[in-house]
Coordinates of all heavy atoms in Angstrom, one line a residue:
M16 N 0.8 -1.2 0.0 CA 0.0 0.0 0.0 C 0.9 1.3 0.0 O 0.6 2.2 -0.7 CB -0.9 0.0 1.2 CG -1.8 1.1 1.4 SD -3.1 1.0 0.1 CE -4.1 2.4 0.6
K17 N 2.0 1.2 0.8 CA 2.8 2.4 0.9 C 3.5 2.7 -0.5 O 3.7 3.8 -0.9 CB 3.9 2.2 2.0 CG 4.7 3.4 2.2 CD 5.7 3.2 3.3 CE 6.6 4.4 3.5 NZ 7.6 4.2 4.6
K18 N 3.9 1.6 -1.2 CA 4.5 1.8 -2.5 C 3.5 2.4 -3.5 O 3.9 3.2 -4.3 CB 5.0 0.4 -3.0 CG 5.9 0.5 -4.2 CD 6.5 -0.8 -4.5 CE 7.4 -0.7 -5.7 NZ 8.1 -1.9 -6.1
Q19 N 2.3 2.1 -3.4 CA 1.3 2.6 -4.3 C 1.1 4.1 -4.1 O 1.0 4.9 -5.0 CB -0.1 1.9 -4.2 CG 0.0 0.5 -4.7 CD -1.3 -0.3 -4.3 OE1 -2.1 0.1 -3.5 NE2 -1.5 -1.4 -5.0
V20 N 1.0 4.5 -2.8 CA 0.9 5.9 -2.4 C 2.1 6.7 -2.9 O 1.9 7.8 -3.5 CB 0.7 6.1 -0.9 CG1 0.8 7.5 -0.5 CG2 -0.6 5.4 -0.5
T21 N 3.3 6.2 -2.8 CA 4.5 6.8 -3.2 C 4.5 7.0 -4.8 O 4.8 8.0 -5.3 CB 5.7 6.0 -2.8 OG1 5.7 5.8 -1.4 CG2 7.0 6.7 -3.2
T22 N 4.0 6.0 -5.5 CA 3.9 6.0 -6.9 C 2.9 7.1 -7.4 O 3.2 7.9 -8.3 CB 3.5 4.7 -7.5 OG1 4.5 3.7 -7.1 CG2 3.5 4.7 -9.0
I23 N 1.8 7.1 -6.7 CA 0.8 8.1 -7.1 C 1.3 9.5 -6.8 O 1.1 10.4 -7.6 CB -0.5 7.8 -6.3 CG1 -1.2 6.6 -6.8 CG2 -1.5 9.0 -6.4 CD1 -2.3 6.1 -6.0
I24 N 1.9 9.8 -5.7 CA 2.4 11.1 -5.4 C 3.5 11.5 -6.3 O 3.6 12.6 -6.8 CB 3.0 11.1 -3.9 CG1 1.8 11.0 -2.9 CG2 3.8 12.4 -3.6 CD1 2.2 10.9 -1.5
S25 N 4.4 10.5 -6.7 CA 5.4 10.8 -7.7 C 4.8 11.2 -9.1 O 5.3 12.1 -9.7 CB 6.3 9.5 -7.9 OG 6.9 9.2 -6.7
I26 N 3.8 10.5 -9.5 CA 3.1 10.8 -10.8 C 2.5 12.2 -10.7 O 2.7 13.0 -11.7 CB 2.1 9.8 -11.1 CG1 2.8 8.4 -11.5 CG2 1.2 10.2 -12.3 CD1 1.8 7.3 -11.6
I27 N 1.9 12.6 -9.6 CA 1.3 13.9 -9.5 C 2.4 15.0 -9.5 O 2.2 16.0 -10.2 CB 0.5 14.0 -8.2 CG1 -0.8 13.1 -8.3 CG2 0.1 15.4 -7.8 CD1 -1.6 12.9 -7.0
L28 N 3.5 14.7 -8.8 CA 4.6 15.7 -8.8 C 5.2 15.9 -10.2 O 5.5 17.0 -10.7 CB 5.7 15.3 -7.9 CG 5.4 15.5 -6.4 CD1 6.5 15.0 -5.5 CD2 5.2 17.0 -6.1
I29 N 5.3 14.8 -11.0 CA 5.9 14.8 -12.3 C 4.9 15.7 -13.2 O 5.4 16.5 -14.0 CB 6.1 13.4 -12.9 CG1 7.3 12.8 -12.2 CG2 6.3 13.5 -14.4 CD1 7.5 11.3 -12.5
I30 N 3.6 15.5 -13.1 CA 2.6 16.2 -13.9 C 2.7 17.7 -13.5 O 2.7 18.6 -14.4 CB 1.2 15.7 -13.6 CG1 1.1 14.3 -14.3 CG2 0.2 16.6 -14.2 CD1 -0.2 13.6 -13.9
L31 N 2.8 18.0 -12.2 CA 3.0 19.4 -11.8 C 4.2 20.1 -12.3 O 4.2 21.2 -12.8 CB 2.9 19.5 -10.3 CG 1.6 19.3 -9.6 CD1 1.7 19.3 -8.1 CD2 0.6 20.3 -10.0
I32 N 5.3 19.3 -12.3 CA 6.6 19.9 -12.9 C 6.5 20.1 -14.4 O 7.0 21.1 -14.9 CB 7.8 18.9 -12.5 CG1 8.0 19.0 -11.0 CG2 9.0 19.3 -13.3 CD1 9.0 17.9 -10.5
A33 N 5.8 19.2 -15.1 CA 5.6 19.3 -16.5 C 4.8 20.6 -16.8 O 5.1 21.3 -17.8 CB 5.0 18.1 -17.1
V34 N 3.7 20.8 -16.1 CA 2.9 22.0 -16.3 C 3.7 23.2 -16.0 O 3.6 24.2 -16.7 CB 1.6 21.9 -15.4 CG1 0.8 23.2 -15.4 CG2 0.7 20.8 -15.9
F35 N 4.4 23.2 -14.9 CA 5.3 24.4 -14.5 C 6.3 24.7 -15.7 O 6.5 25.8 -16.0 CB 6.0 24.0 -13.2 CG 7.0 25.1 -12.8 CD1 6.5 26.3 -12.2 CD2 8.3 24.9 -13.0 CE1 7.4 27.3 -11.9 CE2 9.2 25.9 -12.6 CZ 8.7 27.1 -12.0
A36 N 6.9 23.6 -16.2 CA 7.8 23.8 -17.3 C 7.1 24.5 -18.6 O 7.7 25.3 -19.2 CB 8.5 22.5 -17.7
M37 N 5.9 24.0 -18.9 CA 5.2 24.6 -20.0 C 4.8 26.0 -19.8 O 4.7 26.8 -20.8 CB 4.0 23.7 -20.3 CG 4.3 22.4 -20.8 SD 5.2 22.4 -22.3 CE 5.7 20.8 -22.5
L38 N 4.6 26.4 -18.6 CA 4.2 27.8 -18.3 C 5.4 28.8 -18.3 O 5.2 30.0 -18.3 CB 3.5 27.9 -16.9 CG 2.1 27.2 -16.9 CD1 1.6 27.2 -15.5 CD2 1.1 27.8 -17.8
N39 N 6.6 28.3 -18.2 CA 7.8 29.1 -18.1 C 8.8 28.9 -19.2 O 10.0 28.6 -18.9 CB 8.5 28.9 -16.7 CG 7.6 29.4 -15.6 OD1 7.4 30.5 -15.5 ND2 7.2 28.4 -14.7
L40 N 8.3 29.0 -20.4 CA 9.2 28.7 -21.6 C 9.9 30.0 -22.1 O 10.7 29.9 -22.9 CB 8.4 28.1 -22.7 CG 8.0 26.6 -22.4 CD1 7.2 26.1 -23.6 CD2 9.2 25.7 -22.2
E41 N 9.5 31.2 -21.6 CA 10.1 32.4 -22.1 C 11.5 32.5 -21.8 O 12.0 32.0 -20.7 CB 9.3 33.7 -21.7 CG 9.3 33.8 -20.2 CD 8.0 33.2 -19.5 OE1 7.2 32.6 -20.2 OE2 8.0 33.3 -18.3
K42 N 12.3 33.1 -22.6 CA 13.7 33.3 -22.4 C 14.1 34.5 -21.5 O 13.4 35.5 -21.7 CB 14.5 33.3 -23.7 CG 14.4 32.0 -24.5 CD 15.4 32.0 -25.6 CE 15.2 30.7 -26.3 NZ 16.3 29.8 -26.1
V43 N 15.1 34.4 -20.7 CA 15.5 35.5 -19.8 C 17.0 35.6 -20.0 O 17.7 34.7 -20.3 CB 15.1 35.2 -18.3 CG1 13.6 35.2 -18.1 CG2 15.7 33.9 -17.8
D44 N 17.5 36.8 -19.8 CA 18.9 37.1 -19.8 C 19.5 36.9 -18.4 O 18.9 37.5 -17.4 CB 19.2 38.5 -20.3 CG 19.0 38.7 -21.8 OD1 19.3 37.7 -22.5 OD2 18.6 39.8 -22.2
V45 N 20.6 36.2 -18.3 CA 21.2 36.0 -17.0 C 22.6 36.6 -17.2 O 23.4 36.2 -18.0 CB 21.3 34.5 -16.7 CG1 22.0 34.3 -15.3 CG2 20.0 33.8 -16.7
S46 N 23.0 37.5 -16.3 CA 24.3 38.2 -16.3 C 25.1 37.6 -15.2 O 24.8 37.6 -14.1 CB 24.1 39.7 -16.1 OG 25.3 40.3 -16.1
F47 N 26.3 37.2 -15.6 CA 27.3 36.6 -14.7 C 28.4 37.6 -14.3 O 29.4 37.3 -13.8 CB 28.0 35.4 -15.2 CG 27.0 34.2 -15.4 CD1 26.5 33.8 -16.6 CD2 26.6 33.5 -14.2 CE1 25.7 32.8 -16.7 CE2 25.7 32.5 -14.3 CZ 25.2 32.1 -15.6
G48 N 28.2 38.9 -14.7 CA 29.2 39.9 -14.5 C 30.1 40.1 -15.7 O 30.3 41.2 -16.2
F49 N 30.7 39.0 -16.1 CA 31.7 39.1 -17.3 C 31.0 38.7 -18.6 O 31.5 39.0 -19.6 CB 32.9 38.3 -17.0 CG 32.6 36.8 -16.7 CD1 32.5 35.9 -17.7 CD2 32.4 36.4 -15.4 CE1 32.2 34.6 -17.4 CE2 32.2 35.1 -15.1 CZ 32.1 34.2 -16.1
T50 N 29.9 38.0 -18.5 CA 29.2 37.6 -19.7 C 27.7 37.5 -19.4 O 27.2 37.5 -18.3 CB 29.7 36.3 -20.2 OG1 29.1 36.0 -21.5 CG2 29.4 35.1 -19.2
S51 N 26.9 37.5 -20.5 CA 25.4 37.4 -20.3 C 25.0 36.2 -21.2 O 25.5 36.0 -22.3 CB 24.8 38.6 -20.8 OG 23.4 38.6 -20.6
V52 N 24.0 35.4 -20.6 CA 23.5 34.2 -21.3 C 22.0 34.3 -21.4 O 21.4 34.7 -20.4 CB 24.0 32.9 -20.5 CG1 23.4 31.7 -21.2 CG2 25.5 32.8 -20.4
E53 N 21.5 33.9 -22.5 CA 20.0 33.8 -22.6 C 19.6 32.4 -22.5 O 20.1 31.5 -23.3 CB 19.6 34.4 -24.0 CG 18.1 34.6 -24.1 CD 17.7 35.3 -25.3 OE1 18.2 36.4 -25.6 OE2 16.9 34.8 -26.1
M54 N 18.6 32.1 -21.6 CA 18.2 30.7 -21.4 C 16.7 30.7 -21.0 O 16.2 31.7 -20.5 CB 19.0 30.0 -20.4 CG 19.0 30.6 -19.0 SD 19.8 29.6 -17.7 CE 21.4 29.3 -18.4
P55 N 16.0 29.6 -21.2 CA 14.6 29.5 -20.8 C 14.5 29.6 -19.2 O 15.4 29.2 -18.5 CB 14.2 28.1 -21.2 CG 15.1 27.7 -22.3 CD 16.4 28.4 -22.0
L56 N 13.5 30.3 -18.8 CA 13.3 30.5 -17.3 C 13.2 29.2 -16.6 O 13.8 29.1 -15.5 CB 12.0 31.3 -17.1 CG 11.7 31.6 -15.6 CD1 12.8 32.4 -15.0 CD2 10.4 32.4 -15.6
V57 N 12.5 28.2 -17.1 CA 12.4 26.9 -16.4 C 13.8 26.3 -16.2 O 14.1 25.6 -15.2 CB 11.4 26.0 -17.1 CG1 11.9 25.5 -18.4 CG2 11.1 24.8 -16.2
L58 N 14.7 26.4 -17.2 CA 16.0 25.8 -17.1 C 16.8 26.5 -16.0 O 17.5 25.9 -15.2 CB 16.7 25.9 -18.4 CG 18.1 25.3 -18.5 CD1 18.0 23.8 -18.2 CD2 18.8 25.6 -19.8
L59 N 16.7 27.8 -15.9 CA 17.3 28.6 -14.9 C 16.9 28.2 -13.5 O 17.7 28.0 -12.6 CB 17.1 30.1 -15.1 CG 17.7 31.0 -14.1 CD1 19.2 31.0 -14.1 CD2 17.2 32.5 -14.3
I60 N 15.6 28.0 -13.4 CA 15.0 27.6 -12.1 C 15.5 26.2 -11.7 O 15.9 26.0 -10.5 CB 13.5 27.7 -12.1 CG1 13.0 29.1 -12.2 CG2 12.9 27.0 -10.9 CD1 11.5 29.3 -12.5
L61 N 15.5 25.3 -12.7 CA 16.0 23.9 -12.4 C 17.5 23.9 -12.0 O 17.9 23.2 -11.1 CB 15.7 23.0 -13.5 CG 14.2 22.7 -13.8 CD1 14.1 21.9 -15.0 CD2 13.6 22.0 -12.6
V62 N 18.3 24.7 -12.7 CA 19.7 24.8 -12.4 C 19.9 25.3 -11.0 O 20.7 24.8 -10.2 CB 20.5 25.6 -13.4 CG1 21.9 26.0 -13.0 CG2 20.5 24.9 -14.8
C63 N 19.2 26.4 -10.6 CA 19.3 26.9 -9.3 C 18.8 25.9 -8.2 O 19.4 25.8 -7.2 CB 18.5 28.2 -9.2 SG 19.2 29.6 -10.1
L64 N 17.8 25.2 -8.5 CA 17.3 24.1 -7.6 C 18.4 23.0 -7.4 O 18.6 22.6 -6.3 CB 16.0 23.5 -8.2 CG 15.4 22.4 -7.4 CD1 14.8 22.9 -6.1 CD2 14.4 21.7 -8.1
L65 N 19.0 22.6 -8.5 CA 20.1 21.6 -8.4 C 21.3 22.1 -7.6 O 21.8 21.4 -6.8 CB 20.5 21.1 -9.8 CG 19.4 20.3 -10.5 CD1 19.9 20.0 -11.9 CD2 19.2 19.0 -9.8
I66 N 21.7 23.3 -7.8 CA 22.8 23.9 -7.1 C 22.5 24.0 -5.6 O 23.3 23.6 -4.7 CB 23.2 25.3 -7.6 CG1 23.8 25.1 -9.0 CG2 24.1 26.0 -6.7 CD1 24.0 26.4 -9.8
G67 N 21.2 24.4 -5.3 CA 20.8 24.5 -3.9 C 20.8 23.1 -3.2 O 21.2 22.9 -2.1
A68 N 20.3 22.1 -4.0 CA 20.3 20.7 -3.5 C 21.7 20.2 -3.2 O 21.9 19.5 -2.2 CB 19.5 19.8 -4.4
L69 N 22.6 20.5 -4.1 CA 24.0 20.1 -4.0 C 24.6 20.7 -2.7 O 25.3 20.0 -2.0 CB 24.8 20.5 -5.2 CG 26.3 20.1 -5.2 CD1 26.4 18.6 -5.1 CD2 27.0 20.7 -6.4
I70 N 24.3 22.0 -2.5 CA 24.9 22.7 -1.3 C 24.3 22.0 0.0 O 25.1 21.8 0.9 CB 24.6 24.2 -1.4 CG1 25.4 24.8 -2.5 CG2 24.9 24.9 0.0 CD1 25.0 26.2 -2.8
I71 N 23.0 21.8 0.0 CA 22.4 21.1 1.2 C 23.0 19.7 1.4 O 23.3 19.4 2.5 CB 20.9 21.1 1.0 CG1 20.3 22.5 1.1 CG2 20.3 20.1 2.1 CD1 18.9 22.6 0.8
F72 N 23.2 19.0 0.3 CA 23.8 17.7 0.4 C 25.2 17.7 1.0 O 25.6 16.9 1.8 CB 23.8 17.0 -0.9 CG 24.6 15.7 -1.0 CD1 24.0 14.5 -0.4 CD2 25.8 15.6 -1.5 CE1 24.7 13.3 -0.4 CE2 26.5 14.4 -1.5 CZ 25.9 13.3 -1.0
L73 N 26.0 18.7 0.5 CA 27.4 18.8 1.0 C 27.4 19.2 2.5 O 28.2 18.6 3.2 CB 28.2 19.8 0.2 CG 28.5 19.4 -1.3 CD1 29.1 20.6 -2.0 CD2 29.4 18.2 -1.3
F74 N 26.6 20.1 2.9 CA 26.6 20.5 4.3 C 26.1 19.3 5.2 O 26.6 19.1 6.3 CB 25.7 21.7 4.5 CG 26.3 23.0 4.2 CD1 25.7 23.9 3.4 CD2 27.6 23.3 4.8 CE1 26.3 25.1 3.1 CE2 28.2 24.5 4.5 CZ 27.5 25.4 3.6
S75 N 25.1 18.6 4.7 CA 24.6 17.5 5.6 C 25.6 16.3 5.6 O 25.7 15.7 6.6 CB 23.2 17.0 5.0 OG 23.4 16.4 3.8
S76 N 26.3 16.1 4.5 CA 27.3 15.0 4.5 C 28.5 15.4 5.4 O 29.0 14.5 6.1 CB 27.8 14.7 3.1 OG 28.4 15.8 2.5
T77 N 28.9 16.6 5.4 CA 30.0 17.0 6.3 C 29.5 16.9 7.8 O 30.3 16.5 8.7 CB 30.5 18.4 6.1 OG1 29.4 19.3 6.2 CG2 31.2 18.5 4.7
Q78 N 28.3 17.2 8.1 CA 27.8 17.1 9.4 C 27.7 15.6 9.8 O 28.0 15.3 10.9 CB 26.4 17.7 9.5 CG 25.9 17.8 10.9 CD 24.5 18.5 11.0 OE1 23.9 18.8 10.0 NE2 24.0 18.7 12.2
N79 N 27.3 14.8 8.9 CA 27.2 13.3 9.2 C 28.6 12.7 9.4 O 28.8 11.9 10.3 CB 26.5 12.6 8.0 CG 25.0 12.8 8.0 OD1 24.4 13.1 9.0 ND2 24.4 12.6 6.9
I80 N 29.6 13.2 8.7 CA 31.0 12.7 8.9 C 31.5 13.1 10.3 O 32.1 12.3 11.0 CB 31.9 13.2 7.8 CG1 31.5 12.6 6.4 CG2 33.4 13.0 8.1 CD1 32.2 13.2 5.2
R81 N 31.2 14.4 10.6 CA 31.6 14.8 11.9 C 30.9 14.0 13.1 O 31.6 13.7 14.1 CB 31.2 16.3 12.1 CG 31.8 17.0 13.3 CD 31.5 18.5 13.4 NE 32.0 19.2 12.2 CZ 31.2 20.0 11.5 NH1 30.0 20.3 11.8 NH2 31.7 20.6 10.4
Q82 N 29.6 13.7 12.9 CA 28.9 13.0 13.9 C 29.5 11.5 14.0 O 29.6 11.0 15.1 CB 27.4 13.0 13.6 CG 26.7 14.3 13.9 CD 25.3 14.2 13.6 OE1 24.8 13.3 12.9 NE2 24.5 15.3 14.0
N83 N 29.8 11.0 12.9 CA 30.4 9.6 12.9 C 31.7 9.6 13.6 O 32.0 8.6 14.3 CB 30.5 9.1 11.5 CG 29.2 8.7 10.9 OD1 28.2 8.5 11.6 ND2 29.1 8.6 9.5
R84 N 32.5 10.6 13.4 CA 33.8 10.7 14.1 C 33.6 10.8 15.6 O 34.3 10.1 16.4 CB 34.6 11.9 13.6 CG 35.2 11.6 12.2 CD 36.1 12.8 11.8 NE 36.5 12.7 10.4 CZ 37.0 13.7 9.7 NH1 37.1 14.9 10.2 NH2 37.4 13.5 8.5
E85 N 32.7 11.6 16.0 CA 32.4 11.8 17.4 C 31.9 10.5 18.0 O 32.3 10.1 19.1 CB 31.4 12.9 17.7 CG 32.0 14.3 17.4 CD 30.9 15.4 17.5 OE1 29.8 15.1 17.9 OE2 31.2 16.5 17.2
Y86 N 31.1 9.8 17.3 CA 30.5 8.5 17.7 C 31.6 7.5 17.9 O 31.7 6.7 18.9 CB 29.4 8.0 16.8 CG 28.8 6.7 17.2 CD1 27.9 6.6 18.3 CD2 29.1 5.5 16.5 CE1 27.4 5.5 18.6 CE2 28.5 4.4 16.8 CZ 27.6 4.3 17.9 OH 27.1 3.1 18.3
K87 N 32.5 7.4 16.9 CA 33.6 6.5 17.0 C 34.6 6.8 18.2 O 35.1 5.9 18.9 CB 34.4 6.4 15.7 CG 33.7 5.7 14.6 CD 34.5 5.7 13.3 CE 33.8 5.1 12.2 NZ 34.5 5.1 10.9
E88 N 34.8 8.1 18.4 CA 35.6 8.5 19.6 C 35.0 8.1 20.9 O 35.7 7.7 21.8 CB 35.9 10.0 19.5 CG 36.9 10.4 18.4 CD 37.0 11.9 18.4 OE1 36.5 12.6 19.2 OE2 37.7 12.4 17.4
L89 N 33.7 8.2 21.0 CA 33.0 7.8 22.2 C 33.0 6.3 22.4 O 33.0 5.9 23.6 CB 31.5 8.3 22.2 CG 31.4 9.9 22.3 CD1 29.9 10.2 22.1 CD2 31.9 10.3 23.6
Q90 N 33.0 5.6 21.4 CA 33.1 4.1 21.5 C 34.4 3.6 22.0 O 34.5 2.6 22.7 CB 32.8 3.4 20.2 CG 31.3 3.4 19.9 CD 31.0 2.6 18.6 OE1 31.9 2.4 17.8 NE2 29.8 2.1 18.5
N91 N 35.5 4.3 21.7 CA 36.8 3.9 22.1 C 37.1 4.2 23.5 O 36.8 4.6 24.4 CB 37.9 4.6 21.2 CG 37.8 4.0 19.8 OD1 37.4 2.9 19.6 ND2 38.2 4.8 18.8

């Protein structure tokens, strides 16, 4: 039952993301200071989302490594 609920929620999220992508197809200029790039808004949003997820992953993994070291020190 839990797997079915997860599948249904995943399908709904995929549909919402597809609708969001279709609504944000206009191109925007992105300035990096030294250059400017024109890209679709949905691509810019997805790239920013992935960069944010990567940063969160890196911070959480360093925190997990630190906790594992402390745990091993307490065991010794």
Side-chain angles (χ1 to χ4, degrees):
M16 180 72 175
K17 185 177 179 183
K18 189 173 184 178
Q19 292 172 346
V20 172
T21 304
T22 304
I23 292 171
I24 291 173
S25 299
I26 291 171
I27 291 171
L28 284 175
I29 289 171
I30 291 171
L31 287 174
I32 290 170
V34 169
F35 177 76
M37 293 299 168
L38 294 175
N39 292 298
L40 290 177
E41 59 270 359
K42 293 195 179 250
V43 293
D44 285 328
V45 181
S46 176
F47 293 106
F49 56 89
T50 187
S51 182
V52 177
E53 188 173 305
M54 63 175 48
L56 180 61
V57 68
L58 184 63
L59 177 65
I60 292 170
L61 290 175
V62 167
C63 291
L64 178 71
L65 289 174
I66 291 171
L69 180 65
I70 290 170
I71 290 172
F72 173 75
L73 290 175
F74 280 128
S75 66
S76 64
T77 56
Q78 185 177 7
N79 285 339
I80 290 170
R81 188 178 305 131
Q82 286 177 348
N83 286 341
R84 285 182 186 165
E85 290 175 4
Y86 180 72
K87 287 180 183 179
E88 287 177 5
L89 289 175
Q90 280 185 338
N91 291 333

